[in-house]
Amino acid sequence: MALRNIVKDGDDILLKKCRPVTKFDKKLHTLLDDMAETMHHARGVGLAAPQVGILRRVVVIDVSEQQNQVLELVNPRIIAYSGEQEGNEGCLSFPGEWGVVKRPNYVKVRAQDRFGEEIELEGEALLARAFCHEIDHLNGVVFKEVADRMLTRKEIEEMNA
Ligand code: CO
């Protein structure tokens, strides 16, 4: 496993639509392993492939306290959602920036695992938010575009206090 560089705000790759994964091979497994390591190292709860410069529909998420429950989603799509939550959202590609983003409170996702098997996952609260945020990345959508507003420096200081 290896750490990959995280693409930062200003790089056009974050605004591009990703292509589906068609080969569930060693290269994909290495990408998934590297993405999980990179996400944990950066203390994030999710990472999408374009954030490491790869325009493929691949996402890793880990909302666990211990950072030891990685979810791997290949070619994910939202098949059901309900409710609403409003909360602060950040992104490893936009360090230090936070926005107020409305998301569904419940999200159900259909995807493939690293071997190409169909899987379904569902989540509420932070996990539902992470599904939406990361799948947006695969469509070239960053959270700043869907935020109702960005937090001020003072609000961020208070949040971190
Ligand atoms: Co992000």
Side-chain angles (χ1 to χ4, degrees):
M1 299 218 288
L3 290 177
R4 303 220 183 178
N5 284 325
I6 297 178
V7 171
K8 297 296 185 335
D9 183 18
D11 193 320
D12 278 354
I13 202 163
L14 293 173
L15 308 178
K16 291 183 176 161
K17 196 173 156 79
C18 297
R19 295 187 304 276
V21 171
T22 54
K23 287 186 201 155
F24 297 82
D25 55 5
K26 182 84 198 323
K27 199 173 169 193
L28 173 67
H29 297 177
T30 302
L31 173 64
L32 283 161
D33 292 342
D34 289 355
M35 284 173 63
E37 188 178 356
T38 304
M39 168 181 68
H40 286 150
H41 184 259
R43 303 225 160 261
V45 298
L47 191 68
Q51 294 182 276
V52 294
I54 307 288
L55 285 171
R56 290 285 178 179
R57 306 189 76 83
V58 177
V59 159
V60 294
I61 290 171
D62 188 347
V63 297
S64 71
E65 200 92 341
Q66 305 294 325
Q67 292 262 278
N68 60 1
Q69 291 170 43
V70 178
L71 303 176
E72 300 178 340
L73 307 178
V74 180
N75 300 327
R77 59 193 193 278
I78 293 172
I79 57 168
Y81 63 91
S82 63
E84 187 179 84
Q85 57 173 317
E86 186 181 85
N88 297 338
E89 198 166 306
C91 178
L92 293 176
S93 294
F94 296 79
E97 296 192 75
W98 293 84
V100 179
V101 186
K102 284 196 194 81
R103 301 286 192 185
N105 195 52
Y106 165 85
V107 173
K108 186 173 187 180
V109 173
R110 188 170 291 157
Q112 286 165 284
D113 69 12
R114 61 165 59 204
F115 305 106
E117 293 296 319
E118 286 255 330
I119 52 171
E120 279 186 8
L121 299 166
E122 51 185 0
E124 293 182 345
L126 179 59
L127 182 53
R129 178 176 293 282
F131 284 148
C132 296
H133 178 112
E134 301 310 331
I135 291 172
D136 272 356
H137 270 302
L138 304 182
N139 296 318
V141 175
V142 296
F143 81 109
K144 285 178 89 166
E145 281 177 53
V146 293
D148 291 330
R149 65 180 186 86
M150 298 303 288
L151 295 193
T152 63
R153 182 178 295 270
K154 189 162 186 287
E155 286 173 315
I156 294 168
E157 278 168 16
E158 283 164 6
M159 185 177 72
N160 293 330

